[in-house]
Amino acid sequence: MFTNDAFVGKVIKPPFTGNVNILCYSAVSRGYTATVPLTVHIVDVNDNTPRFSPEVYMNVIPENSPAGTSVRTLTCRDDDSGANGLCTLRIQTGDDVTHKFAISGKTLVTTGTAIDYEALPSRDRTYSLVVVGVDSPSPSGYSVNEDIPVGTTIATVLATDADDGEDGTLKYSIIARASTVISNFGCRDSDSGTSFTYTMTQNPGNKFIISNAGALAGLVLNDSLDYETAPYYNLEVTVTDNGYPARSSTISIDVTVLNVNEDQPVFTNTGTYMVFASEDTSIGSTLVTVTATDKDAGDAITYAFVTPYLSFHIDHTLGTILLVHSLDYETADSHVLLVTASDGMLSTTATVTLEVGDVNEVPSFTQTTYTININENQPPGTHVGRVFATDLDAGASGRITYTISDGDGASFFTVDSFSGMISPSAVIDYEVNTFFFLIVQASDAALPSLTAQCLVNVRIRDDNDNAPVFIPHTYAVLVSEEAAVGTTVTTISATDIDSVADNNNVFEFSTISTVPFTIHSTSGVIRTNALLDRELLPIYNMVILATDKGAIPLTGTSTITISLIDVNDNDPSISGTYDSTVDEDTAVNTVVFTIIATDLDYGRNSQLSYSIVSGNTDACFKIESRTGIIQTVNTLDRELQSFYKMEVHVTDDGIPPRNASVTCTVTIRDVNDNAPHWITQFFVLSIEENVAIGSSVGFVKATDADIGMNSALTYEIVNYWVGGSNQFVIDSSSGLISSTEALNREIIDTYVLWCRVYDGGSPMLLADSNVTITVSDLNDNNPVFEMRHYSGNIRESSQVGTAVLRVSANDADTGVNALLSYSLYKSARAAKYFNINATTGIIHVKALIDREKDPFFSFKVFVTDSGAPPRTGTTKVSITVQDVNDNRPEFKQEFYNTEVPHSDTCSSVLTTITATDVDEGPNALVSYYFDKYSEDFNLDAVTGKISASRKLTSGKKYIEFVFARDNGNPELKTRSKATVRIDAYKPSDVVLLFHLGVNKSYFESVERAFLSLLTGVYRVSYPTAVARRWCLIETSER
């Protein structure tokens, strides 16, 4: 890879591809050789251009895609290394003038500007973009924008000085004054004391110079750049040292000038366009094409309206403005359109003024049919209606003239030629003509003239000029005064000679008189609307009106005389009230009342007779039929009948007869002739114990047939027969007995009192009675169990229904308060296996019990009385479940495997068989035995330990079978036997001896972990190996 200059020791580089080469460099002199290793680091030169793979990309994206939508990831590679191989992407050119796309890293994405499919040129609806990949070489070439602002940092120059203090303080200055630094060369020479001379050639122009300041040299801009004049520069810079012979090095610098959008588009015609189009221009016609130019190279111009115009469309690429909706001069005679031309960043605006030309159009009536209503007899020339037409054309084309061109009313009406006002030309009579039609024409003043027509309907209205007339003019009728409400009295009629038009001959009847009669508004039927009474008013005069419904109503009048026919319609009238009080010992034939009555009728209708129709109990009274005098007939007794309420009828002699009634009351005054009487011979009352002092026991009641003071009764307690004294008092007026002391049923449950009652008569009368008071029980005692704790035993094999034990309780109360009910605590687990007889308190087995799951139960039992509210007591019950030998022993494992040396065993126990029994006591004691006698091994029946009974044969596998049995009655053994395999081996073949520097107790604590780790070590080479401890010996030897 390298050659050597034999005289000067120069290493010559041929072409190479690696980046580091190590070789031995030797020097030979007079037979002596010196060798030194030489490491050559190969520095990359930016000699590879970035490449795209592939070079052409095609992609499809939906319109209106949101901002940041990934379009395509581009692949750019550069075979250089380091910064020379970094590839940066940017969009250089293309027709994306509105900047809808951007580069994010290596991905082409959409920006925030919406993509509109319809706005794209219809030829292919595509965007064509040129994306360039630029590497990042070490400083030998820079790209700068031609409009780079003054003050922009282009590069940073760093220098160091090993001196201290002021000698090491650095100051920077630019020797060659230039506007912008483009590059630093960073030229180095390994020779000491070397200075450099720089020369440069440029193509094209002389825009750059070399600035040389000490060891630093740079390329600076000497003149302004213009992309449109020169977008690219190639520079050759040669640096030469001052040695001899002089040596030099040349680099090529490519400077790319980036285009800056510095000029906005410019419209032709100074941005002002005047266009003319008539209002009948066809839709789709091209009105004008606006054109703009841009000095910047490669800038594509698009056109758009500043705001949308519904009637116009602009081609975004060509600038052509098309008509998309019809023009209307009458609506808008001109349009001003603002158009922008944009290169994607900068834009300018043009004004397009469209003048619309008028075209003559037919006048238009506001209605196709007009309807006019007028009254008959209108004076000629009266304005009765108007037609109206419009014409928005300009000048003479918009002036309208009206005429009547046809119709049967042409000779009766005229129209004003300018206003369109319609008037009658003669007096019109409704009875001759009721309707006309006219054809009215509107013509403009253009040549030729255009006309429009409309229909005018004229309706004639009738005048109301005749009032209704009654036939006959007056009426006289008779009606009975007993006529019912709604009775028809008579029917009247009237006529109106006007026509039916406007209801001129339609009329309604009414009355202005205040009478008990009504008249139907249309039929003329007169009816009563209240009851009549001839005695109040025998004759009525009723004024009737007939009013038509014309515009100005007219009214006719008539009077009807109504006379009432008399009937016997008056009841007798009774004066005064009749109430009297007499002693019960009043004499017979004593006059009590005289009834006074009158009748407004005459003759027989006013003749009256009297009778008692009810209330005369036992016929104790009589009445004179013509005078109305009432007298006693029998001796009166208040105790039998204290009050009489008699109904007396007074009847006239009319046909049919009418009557009236009155109530006569007679009260019998009392005499004290009856002693008090108890309502029962003996009284039995009850009261609850523990009630508050003053609580009511009950009433004792007596009656007295007399009234007033003769029946005013007073009660008292005369004596206490049973139960002590002064526990009760009696209210003297009401007979209410109340307690005076606290009562306790458990001490005294019955009291007997001697009570007396007497009246307030003179002389006073009395009666005596005995009252028995029973103290009723109050539920004030809790039930109490005979024992605070009950204990019992039950075998786990006991059947459902087996009685376990009985609990019993007592209650000091009586009756329902002492009726007891037993229950278990529902949420206790015992409730699943036991229940209790609510009446007897016997606890029974409810479900089969398994001692192994539930060996003991402790729960609460409740006893509740039947009082209101009930009271409760509790006790604790403990039940021990006795074991039954119902479980077989079970081996913890059914296969045992062990290996033992055939001799010299360290421990006599080869393995230990283990079985358990979930029963308890003797039922759980397990013993072990071989299924048959073994000559080679012994089995400890209690511990299950197996030991060798003689020397074993090396390499032999021994199989033994073991059973386990319990000590129950009956005895139970394991369902299956345990298999024991014992492999005898030669110790020297498999036993490894380890000497550990720990004591025995510590080793035993970590033995399991030690053997596990040791097994892992073995299994690296022997995957199935197992490490076990056979023998453990503790010794003090080192």
Side-chain angles (χ1 to χ4, degrees), residues 419-661:
S419 66
M421 195 68 70
I422 297 176
S423 304
S425 59
V427 175
I428 300 173
D429 187 358
Y430 171 83
E431 285 70 27
V432 178
N433 299 100
T434 61
F435 178 81
F436 297 98
F437 77 90
L438 307 173
I439 302 299
V440 178
Q441 180 173 288
S443 304
D444 62 23
L447 293 176
S449 176
L450 298 180
T451 62
Q453 293 181 334
C454 70
L455 173 65
V456 180
N457 294 320
V458 183
R459 302 183 186 276
I460 311 302
R461 289 196 295 257
D462 182 37
D463 281 341
N464 185 27
D465 52 359
N466 293 284
V469 177
F470 285 94
I471 302 174
H473 185 64
T474 59
Y475 294 81
V477 296
L478 298 174
V479 64
S480 174
E481 67 171 327
E482 63 179 354
V485 174
T487 299
T488 299
V489 177
T490 188
T491 301
I492 61 174
S493 62
T495 61
D496 191 320
I497 63 175
D498 286 324
S499 68
V500 71
D502 295 331
N503 292 324
N504 289 336
N505 68 347
V506 178
F507 52 83
E508 292 182 346
F509 296 106
S510 62
T511 181
I512 60 175
S513 302
T514 304
V515 292
F517 304 97
T518 60
I519 183 169
H520 192 276
S521 62
T522 58
S523 67
V525 176
I526 296 176
R527 291 184 175 89
T528 61
N529 69 344
L531 295 176
L532 306 176
D533 189 353
R534 191 199 65 81
E535 285 71 27
L536 295 178
L537 188 61
I539 298 174
Y540 294 92
N541 291 314
M542 184 177 182
V543 178
I544 306 298
L545 307 179
T547 304
D548 63 27
K549 295 185 178 181
I552 301 177
L554 300 178
T555 302
T557 62
S558 176
T559 301
I560 179 171
T561 300
I562 303 173
S563 300
L564 304 185
I565 302 172
D566 186 41
V567 294
N568 185 26
D569 58 351
N570 290 287
D571 292 332
S573 177
I574 301 173
S575 303
T577 58
Y578 300 91
D579 298 294
S580 180
T581 300
V582 297
D583 292 336
E584 58 181 322
D585 56 356
T586 298
V588 176
N589 292 325
T590 298
V591 175
V592 181
F593 301 113
T594 297
I595 307 301
I596 300 174
T598 58
D599 194 313
L600 296 178
D601 293 322
Y602 297 97
R604 291 179 57 87
N605 292 338
S606 64
Q607 296 296 315
L608 305 177
S609 60
Y610 303 85
S611 61
I612 300 175
V613 297
S614 65
N616 189 11
T617 306
D618 297 330
C620 290
F621 300 93
K622 65 179 180 180
I623 189 170
E624 291 288 340
S625 63
R626 289 297 179 182
T627 64
I629 296 174
I630 298 176
Q631 299 170 280
T632 61
V633 176
N634 300 322
T635 301
L636 304 176
D637 186 353
R638 194 204 64 78
E639 284 71 34
L640 296 178
Q641 184 75 27
S642 63
F643 181 77
Y644 295 87
K645 184 177 182 181
M646 297 177 288
E647 184 178 357
V648 176
H649 278 197
V650 181
T651 307
D652 63 22
D653 293 339
I655 299 175
R658 301 178 70 88
N659 61 69
S661 64

Side-chain angles (χ1 to χ4, degrees), residues 150-190:
V150 175
T152 301
T153 298
I154 303 302
T156 301
V157 179
L158 297 177
T160 60
D161 192 320
D163 294 325
D164 296 327
E166 293 185 358
D167 294 337
T169 301
L170 301 179
K171 295 182 180 180
Y172 297 88
S173 63
I174 298 175
I175 299 175
R177 188 170 184 84
S179 59
T180 304
V181 177
I182 301 301
S183 176
N184 282 327
F185 299 136
C187 183
R188 295 177 297 173
D189 194 313
S190 298

Side-chain angles (χ1 to χ4, degrees), residues 19-41:
N19 57 4
V20 177
N21 289 269
I22 302 175
L23 51 88
C24 288
Y25 189 75
S26 300
V28 179
S29 176
R30 296 180 182 180
Y32 293 94
T33 302
T35 303
V36 64
L38 176 64
T39 300
V40 180
H41 293 271

Side-chain angles (χ1 to χ4, degrees), residues 681-703:
Q681 185 176 2
F682 301 103
F683 290 89
V684 178
L685 304 176
S686 66
I687 184 173
E688 290 184 348
E689 63 176 327
N690 300 331
V691 296
I693 296 174
S695 298
S696 299
V697 180
F699 290 90
V700 293
K701 192 71 175 177
T703 62

Side-chain angles (χ1 to χ4, degrees), residues 687-688 690-695 723-729 738-744 748 751:
I687 184 173
E688 290 184 348
N690 300 331
V691 296
I693 296 174
S695 298
S725 59
N726 299 323
Q727 282 83 10
F728 301 95
V729 294
S738 304
S739 64
T740 60
E741 295 180 1
L743 304 177
N744 191 330
I748 300 176
Y751 297 87

Side-chain angles (χ1 to χ4, degrees), residues 986-1007:
K986 187 177 182 179
S988 60
D989 293 338
V990 297
V991 173
L992 299 177
L993 182 62
F994 288 87
H995 296 277
L996 304 177
V998 296
N999 58 39
K1000 181 179 180 181
S1001 60
Y1002 173 78
F1003 177 79
E1004 289 175 339
S1005 67
V1006 298
E1007 179 180 11

Side-chain angles (χ1 to χ4, degrees), residues 9 78 91 463 633 900 958 1028:
D78 192 314
I91 298 174
D463 281 341
V633 176
V900 299
Y958 295 87
R1028 293 176 179 167

